[in-house]
Amino acid sequence: MDAAEFRKRGKEMVDYVADYLEKIDKRQVFPDVEPGYLRPLIPDCAPQDPESFEDVFKDIEKIIMPGVTHWHSPYFFAYFPAASSFPALLADILCGGIGCVGFSWAASPACTELETVVLDWLGKMINLPEEFLAGKDGQGGGVIQGSASEATLVSLLAARTKTIRRVQSEKPEVTEAEIMGRLVAYASDQVSTSQKHRPGSMGSILSILINCNRENIWMHIDAAYAGSAFICPEFRHLLNGVEFADSFNFNPHKWLLVNFDCSAMWVKKRSDLIGAFKLEPLYLQHHHQESGLVTDYRHWQIPLGRRFRSLKLWFVLRMYGVTGLQEHIRKHVRLSHQFERLVLQDERFEICAEVILGLVCFRLKGSNELNKALLKTINDAKKIHLVPCHLREKFVLRFAICSRTVECAHVQFAWQHISQLATELLETWEPNQQQQQEQEQC
Amino acid sequence: MDAAEFRKRGKEMVDYVADYLEKIDKRQVFPDVEPGYLRPLIPDCAPQDPESFEDVFKDIEKIIMPGVTHWHSPYFFAYFPAASSFPALLADILCGGIGCVGFSWAASPACTELETVVLDWLGKMINLPEEFLAGKDGQGGGVIQGSASEATLVSLLAARTKTIRRVQSEKPEVTEAEIMGRLVAYASDQVSTSQKHRPGSMGSILSILINCNRENIWMHIDAAYAGSAFICPEFRHLLNGVEFADSFNFNPHKWLLVNFDCSAMWVKKRSDLIGAFKLEPLYLQHHHQESGLVTDYRHWQIPLGRRFRSLKLWFVLRMYGVTGLQEHIRKHVRLSHQFERLVLQDERFEICAEVILGLVCFRLKGSNELNKALLKTINDAKKIHLVPCHLREKFVLRFAICSRTVECAHVQFAWQHISQLATELLETWEPNQQQQQEQEQC
């Protein structure tokens, strides 16, 4: 394929994506396929000779789309939001076209410098303490990681390296293995993977933070989902105490309209990260690197290579503006409260955790089995899509406001649908309950 | 921005990328900017109100391009190739549009299943032993990681978990910390980061592999760059011995025309990976997962989230075909041998390592200082771009065939340019040598 054909096909693909997103509400949000559906639909081996774009293109609707869970459907209320916006998609086309690998300043100065500056922008938007910003000569700064898991891992490794070096300098007779065996990492039980169920619990974190700070314990805060909300002054108090942390991250690829992957991470002392990761083979050195002015992001992360991800953050921040992004967050929070009110108006249901941002945890008053059955009927109907969680011992349904295009009417529809299915379920539930429970035990 | 504007702007961006890549040889391969160039060019903060696409778009040439190192220029011979092709760019537009997060089968069945099947395709293309393939009911299988570093880290963690469990089952009295303190990882000194200087050294690896296999030591082979060449039968012998390894990876995003990131990794026993990473909060469970038919790729990697990266591999394999990709590899190898012959014809130069694939390590006969000076004049002239390496104690220039569009004429030009600069350098070198060395020591 030459550039001329790319022009043609690229435009067709842009139209395909625009069509897909414009009409996504017409597609069934969760697919009908069974495990193993795809393998019989395509050959066993790659073709020897080139196939045409048309051949590949027609397989998108034939093979791919029947197996896609449509995360951007306004009927998708599962997991957590996966950010997507047109400015981010445009930036990603550019990122692919430039195709640079930005592991060092010299490998593409724009890739490194835009990232540093745009993470300063983003840090200011959530009112991060200035120590976390790079500025012109700060000791801190931001970096784009692929995911919150990587940001947490990088923090853990930096903390480990720093602690081992401190103990070794105090007690040279102790071996590294002995120190390693005594290191402890504490994590909150109010989180799961990297998704907070109850951001309200952050209030009580302040005293922990102050203690960590006093005891020389590395403190990392992961606000993967909630962090985007901190661009609104009314939610910023949830981040109080961050001034005592060593590192902080949140995921614009969750709730700030920047397509995956884009996990923003800041540290107060960049030297702590670099100390854990520094890698200097000759072919990655360049004559500017000792100037103190340059950042070589390969020392800040697990992989060596990195894409030009700051472009999409830059496009989104500029083309939405702070006010546009605040509107997006506030709309989602408004919709979660709308859903909360609908639940509260129905005596059969209960709300299981305070609704603060875009997530509503709710359930039918009754057994876990009843709620499992309700979730199953909801997801089997495939008009909307939800996933559950456990809060203490309770099986709870999560209603997460996800899509960029979700509106009141979709939330209203979702609630009427859930309510109707609950009515049908409760009509038949009592007589079958015992039998169903037995079946589940088999 | 709505879908209608995205159609318009997306097409403009496709044209911009096509223009950029068509005329990339007219741009200076390495930028003129100094560290810190970008910050003064853009505001200190994100804008409060939205900016237009036009405003952002014009900044690409004004702010970004002056700081880009053009990895796809046919005059770029630095580091290693960063793969890029039009089919991969098209697939990435689609990937962004779908915007699913494929951490489990249910989160998007197509995303998981296409990856498994296409990695079987790719495994067959390099003639991997069948144990590494997923097939319909295999114990092995492939996964796309972000980078070779992640693949290696995942292997290390899997190996560690497996070994600790084995030792603990044999000696229950030994603590995990004690076992950890005695674990050893061996790595070849013929590699640096994840880039092989001398794939020829793989021949001697066979006996190590056989011993690892016998001694129950986890063996991971990283052929980040070289792996793509194994699709050509004449280079497949470099992978001999892989049948004794536990895991293997290479980077189609280096040399197989699939844009970053796409590091293909295979394991013989998927249960070894899953054992190290399994993560099962309720909201990530789905009712198919215990069927044995489904793959939940979050257990195979560091991050939770993952993009639909198999699309670009699928597009590239189909639209190039195996023969098209073989032609690409063979062209690059031919060009490296062309450069090698040019070097060998010039008595002032020497070749420093056997040229097997697309990399030529060469230098002026003479001191390291002389070669450092030569490299500096080459990179200061900015007509081509190279980076150095150390082979044993010698400072060596690396000439890597990188761009998809590089041809004989570019290699010829590069050599004439290097040769000319060497002539000019040698004319002035002797009298100044002492002085230059002293300057460097300051």
Side-chain angles (χ1 to χ4, degrees), chain B residues 46-70:
Chain B
Q48 277 299 304
D49 297 314
E51 293 184 62
S52 69
F53 176 78
E54 286 92 338
D55 283 343
V56 178
F57 189 74
K58 71 174 168 21
D59 282 346
I60 299 171
E61 279 299 325
K62 202 173 122 197
I63 296 171
I64 303 301
M65 283 300 169
V68 170
T69 304
H70 301 291

PDB file of all heavy atoms in Angstrom, chain B residues 46-70:
ATOM      1  N   ALA B  46      -3.181  24.981  30.580  1.00  0.00           N
ATOM      2  CA  ALA B  46      -4.200  24.591  29.608  1.00  0.00           C
ATOM      3  C   ALA B  46      -5.187  25.743  29.448  1.00  0.00           C
ATOM      4  O   ALA B  46      -5.452  26.474  30.410  1.00  0.00           O
ATOM      5  CB  ALA B  46      -4.917  23.339  30.092  1.00  0.00           C
ATOM      6  N   PRO B  47      -5.752  25.903  28.254  1.00  0.00           N
ATOM      7  CA  PRO B  47      -6.729  26.981  28.055  1.00  0.00           C
ATOM      8  C   PRO B  47      -8.020  26.696  28.824  1.00  0.00           C
ATOM      9  O   PRO B  47      -8.428  25.545  28.944  1.00  0.00           O
ATOM     10  CB  PRO B  47      -6.983  26.940  26.544  1.00  0.00           C
ATOM     11  CG  PRO B  47      -6.685  25.543  26.140  1.00  0.00           C
ATOM     12  CD  PRO B  47      -5.555  25.101  27.031  1.00  0.00           C
ATOM     13  N   GLN B  48      -8.642  27.753  29.329  1.00  0.00           N
ATOM     14  CA  GLN B  48      -9.946  27.575  29.975  1.00  0.00           C
ATOM     15  C   GLN B  48     -10.994  27.179  28.941  1.00  0.00           C
ATOM     16  O   GLN B  48     -11.769  26.267  29.164  1.00  0.00           O
ATOM     17  CB  GLN B  48     -10.374  28.897  30.651  1.00  0.00           C
ATOM     18  CG  GLN B  48      -9.778  29.106  32.029  1.00  0.00           C
ATOM     19  CD  GLN B  48     -10.186  28.030  33.021  1.00  0.00           C
ATOM     20  OE1 GLN B  48     -11.356  27.792  33.248  1.00  0.00           O
ATOM     21  NE2 GLN B  48      -9.208  27.358  33.604  1.00  0.00           N
ATOM     22  N   ASP B  49     -10.990  27.877  27.801  1.00  0.00           N
ATOM     23  CA  ASP B  49     -12.028  27.647  26.801  1.00  0.00           C
ATOM     24  C   ASP B  49     -11.465  26.876  25.614  1.00  0.00           C
ATOM     25  O   ASP B  49     -10.269  26.941  25.336  1.00  0.00           O
ATOM     26  CB  ASP B  49     -12.599  29.002  26.346  1.00  0.00           C
ATOM     27  CG  ASP B  49     -13.267  29.715  27.510  1.00  0.00           C
ATOM     28  OD1 ASP B  49     -14.035  29.058  28.240  1.00  0.00           O
ATOM     29  OD2 ASP B  49     -12.980  30.909  27.708  1.00  0.00           O
ATOM     30  N   PRO B  50     -12.331  26.176  24.919  1.00  0.00           N
ATOM     31  CA  PRO B  50     -11.869  25.343  23.800  1.00  0.00           C
ATOM     32  C   PRO B  50     -11.173  26.154  22.724  1.00  0.00           C
ATOM     33  O   PRO B  50     -11.579  27.272  22.411  1.00  0.00           O
ATOM     34  CB  PRO B  50     -13.166  24.743  23.252  1.00  0.00           C
ATOM     35  CG  PRO B  50     -14.161  24.855  24.336  1.00  0.00           C
ATOM     36  CD  PRO B  50     -13.784  26.055  25.144  1.00  0.00           C
ATOM     37  N   GLU B  51     -10.127  25.568  22.160  1.00  0.00           N
ATOM     38  CA  GLU B  51      -9.489  26.151  20.978  1.00  0.00           C
ATOM     39  C   GLU B  51      -9.977  25.389  19.755  1.00  0.00           C
ATOM     40  O   GLU B  51     -10.424  24.247  19.840  1.00  0.00           O
ATOM     41  CB  GLU B  51      -7.968  26.009  21.096  1.00  0.00           C
ATOM     42  CG  GLU B  51      -7.365  26.838  22.217  1.00  0.00           C
ATOM     43  CD  GLU B  51      -5.848  26.730  22.204  1.00  0.00           C
ATOM     44  OE1 GLU B  51      -5.230  27.139  21.213  1.00  0.00           O
ATOM     45  OE2 GLU B  51      -5.292  26.222  23.198  1.00  0.00           O
ATOM     46  N   SER B  52      -9.825  25.998  18.606  1.00  0.00           N
ATOM     47  CA  SER B  52     -10.281  25.342  17.378  1.00  0.00           C
ATOM     48  C   SER B  52      -9.251  24.313  16.920  1.00  0.00           C
ATOM     49  O   SER B  52      -8.072  24.377  17.274  1.00  0.00           O
ATOM     50  CB  SER B  52     -10.476  26.380  16.274  1.00  0.00           C
ATOM     51  OG  SER B  52      -9.212  26.883  15.880  1.00  0.00           O
ATOM     52  N   PHE B  53      -9.720  23.386  16.079  1.00  0.00           N
ATOM     53  CA  PHE B  53      -8.807  22.417  15.475  1.00  0.00           C
ATOM     54  C   PHE B  53      -7.721  23.136  14.673  1.00  0.00           C
ATOM     55  O   PHE B  53      -6.554  22.744  14.719  1.00  0.00           O
ATOM     56  CB  PHE B  53      -9.579  21.451  14.584  1.00  0.00           C
ATOM     57  CG  PHE B  53      -8.701  20.490  13.858  1.00  0.00           C
ATOM     58  CD1 PHE B  53      -8.175  19.383  14.513  1.00  0.00           C
ATOM     59  CD2 PHE B  53      -8.359  20.686  12.524  1.00  0.00           C
ATOM     60  CE1 PHE B  53      -7.342  18.491  13.854  1.00  0.00           C
ATOM     61  CE2 PHE B  53      -7.517  19.806  11.859  1.00  0.00           C
ATOM     62  CZ  PHE B  53      -7.019  18.704  12.523  1.00  0.00           C
ATOM     63  N   GLU B  54      -8.115  24.184  13.950  1.00  0.00           N
ATOM     64  CA  GLU B  54      -7.124  24.919  13.142  1.00  0.00           C
ATOM     65  C   GLU B  54      -5.964  25.425  14.005  1.00  0.00           C
ATOM     66  O   GLU B  54      -4.806  25.359  13.602  1.00  0.00           O
ATOM     67  CB  GLU B  54      -7.756  26.123  12.427  1.00  0.00           C
ATOM     68  CG  GLU B  54      -8.644  25.785  11.243  1.00  0.00           C
ATOM     69  CD  GLU B  54     -10.100  25.632  11.646  1.00  0.00           C
ATOM     70  OE1 GLU B  54     -10.365  25.364  12.851  1.00  0.00           O
ATOM     71  OE2 GLU B  54     -10.963  25.755  10.765  1.00  0.00           O
ATOM     72  N   ASP B  55      -6.309  25.956  15.179  1.00  0.00           N
ATOM     73  CA  ASP B  55      -5.261  26.471  16.066  1.00  0.00           C
ATOM     74  C   ASP B  55      -4.292  25.359  16.476  1.00  0.00           C
ATOM     75  O   ASP B  55      -3.077  25.563  16.532  1.00  0.00           O
ATOM     76  CB  ASP B  55      -5.895  27.061  17.340  1.00  0.00           C
ATOM     77  CG  ASP B  55      -6.505  28.437  17.072  1.00  0.00           C
ATOM     78  OD1 ASP B  55      -6.164  29.044  16.035  1.00  0.00           O
ATOM     79  OD2 ASP B  55      -7.330  28.875  17.892  1.00  0.00           O
ATOM     80  N   VAL B  56      -4.856  24.215  16.811  1.00  0.00           N
ATOM     81  CA  VAL B  56      -4.006  23.101  17.232  1.00  0.00           C
ATOM     82  C   VAL B  56      -3.206  22.594  16.035  1.00  0.00           C
ATOM     83  O   VAL B  56      -1.999  22.352  16.122  1.00  0.00           O
ATOM     84  CB  VAL B  56      -4.870  21.972  17.841  1.00  0.00           C
ATOM     85  CG1 VAL B  56      -3.998  20.786  18.239  1.00  0.00           C
ATOM     86  CG2 VAL B  56      -5.651  22.495  19.059  1.00  0.00           C
ATOM     87  N   PHE B  57      -3.895  22.456  14.911  1.00  0.00           N
ATOM     88  CA  PHE B  57      -3.273  21.869  13.728  1.00  0.00           C
ATOM     89  C   PHE B  57      -2.056  22.674  13.268  1.00  0.00           C
ATOM     90  O   PHE B  57      -1.019  22.098  12.919  1.00  0.00           O
ATOM     91  CB  PHE B  57      -4.318  21.781  12.611  1.00  0.00           C
ATOM     92  CG  PHE B  57      -3.873  21.007  11.411  1.00  0.00           C
ATOM     93  CD1 PHE B  57      -3.792  19.616  11.453  1.00  0.00           C
ATOM     94  CD2 PHE B  57      -3.535  21.655  10.225  1.00  0.00           C
ATOM     95  CE1 PHE B  57      -3.375  18.896  10.342  1.00  0.00           C
ATOM     96  CE2 PHE B  57      -3.108  20.939   9.118  1.00  0.00           C
ATOM     97  CZ  PHE B  57      -3.030  19.561   9.169  1.00  0.00           C
ATOM     98  N   LYS B  58      -2.172  23.994  13.285  1.00  0.00           N
ATOM     99  CA  LYS B  58      -1.034  24.788  12.782  1.00  0.00           C
ATOM    100  C   LYS B  58       0.179  24.685  13.712  1.00  0.00           C
ATOM    101  O   LYS B  58       1.312  24.899  13.296  1.00  0.00           O
ATOM    102  CB  LYS B  58      -1.436  26.229  12.485  1.00  0.00           C
ATOM    103  CG  LYS B  58      -1.722  27.119  13.672  1.00  0.00           C
ATOM    104  CD  LYS B  58      -1.961  28.565  13.166  1.00  0.00           C
ATOM    105  CE  LYS B  58      -2.544  29.504  14.213  1.00  0.00           C
ATOM    106  NZ  LYS B  58      -2.417  29.211  15.639  1.00  0.00           N
ATOM    107  N   ASP B  59      -0.069  24.344  14.975  1.00  0.00           N
ATOM    108  CA  ASP B  59       1.047  24.175  15.910  1.00  0.00           C
ATOM    109  C   ASP B  59       1.853  22.903  15.657  1.00  0.00           C
ATOM    110  O   ASP B  59       2.959  22.755  16.191  1.00  0.00           O
ATOM    111  CB  ASP B  59       0.535  24.174  17.355  1.00  0.00           C
ATOM    112  CG  ASP B  59       0.231  25.589  17.847  1.00  0.00           C
ATOM    113  OD1 ASP B  59       0.667  26.546  17.178  1.00  0.00           O
ATOM    114  OD2 ASP B  59      -0.430  25.717  18.886  1.00  0.00           O
ATOM    115  N   ILE B  60       1.295  21.990  14.872  1.00  0.00           N
ATOM    116  CA  ILE B  60       2.064  20.772  14.581  1.00  0.00           C
ATOM    117  C   ILE B  60       3.358  21.142  13.863  1.00  0.00           C
ATOM    118  O   ILE B  60       4.448  20.741  14.266  1.00  0.00           O
ATOM    119  CB  ILE B  60       1.235  19.770  13.742  1.00  0.00           C
ATOM    120  CG1 ILE B  60      -0.025  19.350  14.500  1.00  0.00           C
ATOM    121  CG2 ILE B  60       2.084  18.536  13.407  1.00  0.00           C
ATOM    122  CD1 ILE B  60      -1.000  18.529  13.654  1.00  0.00           C
ATOM    123  N   GLU B  61       3.222  21.954  12.788  1.00  0.00           N
ATOM    124  CA  GLU B  61       4.441  22.341  12.067  1.00  0.00           C
ATOM    125  C   GLU B  61       5.264  23.371  12.839  1.00  0.00           C
ATOM    126  O   GLU B  61       6.485  23.426  12.704  1.00  0.00           O
ATOM    127  CB  GLU B  61       4.095  22.902  10.675  1.00  0.00           C
ATOM    128  CG  GLU B  61       3.831  21.834   9.626  1.00  0.00           C
ATOM    129  CD  GLU B  61       5.011  20.900   9.350  1.00  0.00           C
ATOM    130  OE1 GLU B  61       6.172  21.336   9.396  1.00  0.00           O
ATOM    131  OE2 GLU B  61       4.747  19.696   9.111  1.00  0.00           O
ATOM    132  N   LYS B  62       4.558  24.173  13.647  1.00  0.00           N
ATOM    133  CA  LYS B  62       5.248  25.282  14.317  1.00  0.00           C
ATOM    134  C   LYS B  62       6.006  24.810  15.566  1.00  0.00           C
ATOM    135  O   LYS B  62       7.130  25.260  15.828  1.00  0.00           O
ATOM    136  CB  LYS B  62       4.190  26.329  14.714  1.00  0.00           C
ATOM    137  CG  LYS B  62       4.728  27.732  14.932  1.00  0.00           C
ATOM    138  CD  LYS B  62       3.586  28.711  15.140  1.00  0.00           C
ATOM    139  CE  LYS B  62       3.712  29.415  16.478  1.00  0.00           C
ATOM    140  NZ  LYS B  62       2.456  30.055  16.906  1.00  0.00           N
ATOM    141  N   ILE B  63       5.413  23.919  16.327  1.00  0.00           N
ATOM    142  CA  ILE B  63       5.964  23.561  17.636  1.00  0.00           C
ATOM    143  C   ILE B  63       6.485  22.127  17.697  1.00  0.00           C
ATOM    144  O   ILE B  63       7.545  21.867  18.267  1.00  0.00           O
ATOM    145  CB  ILE B  63       4.877  23.772  18.721  1.00  0.00           C
ATOM    146  CG1 ILE B  63       4.520  25.261  18.789  1.00  0.00           C
ATOM    147  CG2 ILE B  63       5.347  23.243  20.083  1.00  0.00           C
ATOM    148  CD1 ILE B  63       3.326  25.569  19.664  1.00  0.00           C
ATOM    149  N   ILE B  64       5.737  21.207  17.085  1.00  0.00           N
ATOM    150  CA  ILE B  64       6.109  19.794  17.212  1.00  0.00           C
ATOM    151  C   ILE B  64       7.220  19.414  16.229  1.00  0.00           C
ATOM    152  O   ILE B  64       8.294  18.942  16.623  1.00  0.00           O
ATOM    153  CB  ILE B  64       4.876  18.879  17.003  1.00  0.00           C
ATOM    154  CG1 ILE B  64       3.769  19.235  18.004  1.00  0.00           C
ATOM    155  CG2 ILE B  64       5.275  17.410  17.109  1.00  0.00           C
ATOM    156  CD1 ILE B  64       4.156  19.123  19.446  1.00  0.00           C
ATOM    157  N   MET B  65       6.970  19.625  14.939  1.00  0.00           N
ATOM    158  CA  MET B  65       7.910  19.132  13.925  1.00  0.00           C
ATOM    159  C   MET B  65       9.341  19.645  14.085  1.00  0.00           C
ATOM    160  O   MET B  65      10.283  18.896  13.837  1.00  0.00           O
ATOM    161  CB  MET B  65       7.377  19.421  12.521  1.00  0.00           C
ATOM    162  CG  MET B  65       6.264  18.463  12.105  1.00  0.00           C
ATOM    163  SD  MET B  65       6.835  16.730  12.113  1.00  0.00           S
ATOM    164  CE  MET B  65       5.272  15.870  11.941  1.00  0.00           C
ATOM    165  N   PRO B  66       9.550  20.882  14.505  1.00  0.00           N
ATOM    166  CA  PRO B  66      10.944  21.335  14.696  1.00  0.00           C
ATOM    167  C   PRO B  66      11.704  20.504  15.725  1.00  0.00           C
ATOM    168  O   PRO B  66      12.929  20.535  15.764  1.00  0.00           O
ATOM    169  CB  PRO B  66      10.789  22.781  15.175  1.00  0.00           C
ATOM    170  CG  PRO B  66       9.454  23.215  14.668  1.00  0.00           C
ATOM    171  CD  PRO B  66       8.583  21.983  14.724  1.00  0.00           C
ATOM    172  N   GLY B  67      10.980  19.774  16.571  1.00  0.00           N
ATOM    173  CA  GLY B  67      11.638  18.976  17.608  1.00  0.00           C
ATOM    174  C   GLY B  67      11.529  17.480  17.396  1.00  0.00           C
ATOM    175  O   GLY B  67      11.797  16.706  18.318  1.00  0.00           O
ATOM    176  N   VAL B  68      11.142  17.073  16.186  1.00  0.00           N
ATOM    177  CA  VAL B  68      10.993  15.629  15.946  1.00  0.00           C
ATOM    178  C   VAL B  68      12.256  15.058  15.310  1.00  0.00           C
ATOM    179  O   VAL B  68      12.803  15.621  14.363  1.00  0.00           O
ATOM    180  CB  VAL B  68       9.763  15.351  15.037  1.00  0.00           C
ATOM    181  CG1 VAL B  68       9.745  13.890  14.580  1.00  0.00           C
ATOM    182  CG2 VAL B  68       8.468  15.694  15.774  1.00  0.00           C
ATOM    183  N   THR B  69      12.720  13.944  15.843  1.00  0.00           N
ATOM    184  CA  THR B  69      13.729  13.127  15.183  1.00  0.00           C
ATOM    185  C   THR B  69      12.956  12.191  14.255  1.00  0.00           C
ATOM    186  O   THR B  69      12.091  11.451  14.716  1.00  0.00           O
ATOM    187  CB  THR B  69      14.511  12.317  16.229  1.00  0.00           C
ATOM    188  OG1 THR B  69      15.069  13.222  17.183  1.00  0.00           O
ATOM    189  CG2 THR B  69      15.622  11.506  15.584  1.00  0.00           C
ATOM    190  N   HIS B  70      13.251  12.250  12.969  1.00  0.00           N
ATOM    191  CA  HIS B  70      12.401  11.552  11.990  1.00  0.00           C
ATOM    192  C   HIS B  70      12.834  10.097  11.808  1.00  0.00           C
ATOM    193  O   HIS B  70      13.653   9.790  10.946  1.00  0.00           O
ATOM    194  CB  HIS B  70      12.400  12.327  10.670  1.00  0.00           C
ATOM    195  CG  HIS B  70      11.888  13.725  10.830  1.00  0.00           C
ATOM    196  ND1 HIS B  70      10.564  14.009  11.114  1.00  0.00           N
ATOM    197  CD2 HIS B  70      12.516  14.930  10.812  1.00  0.00           C
ATOM    198  CE1 HIS B  70      10.390  15.323  11.239  1.00  0.00           C
ATOM    199  NE2 HIS B  70      11.576  15.901  11.072  1.00  0.00           N
TER     200      HIS B  70
END
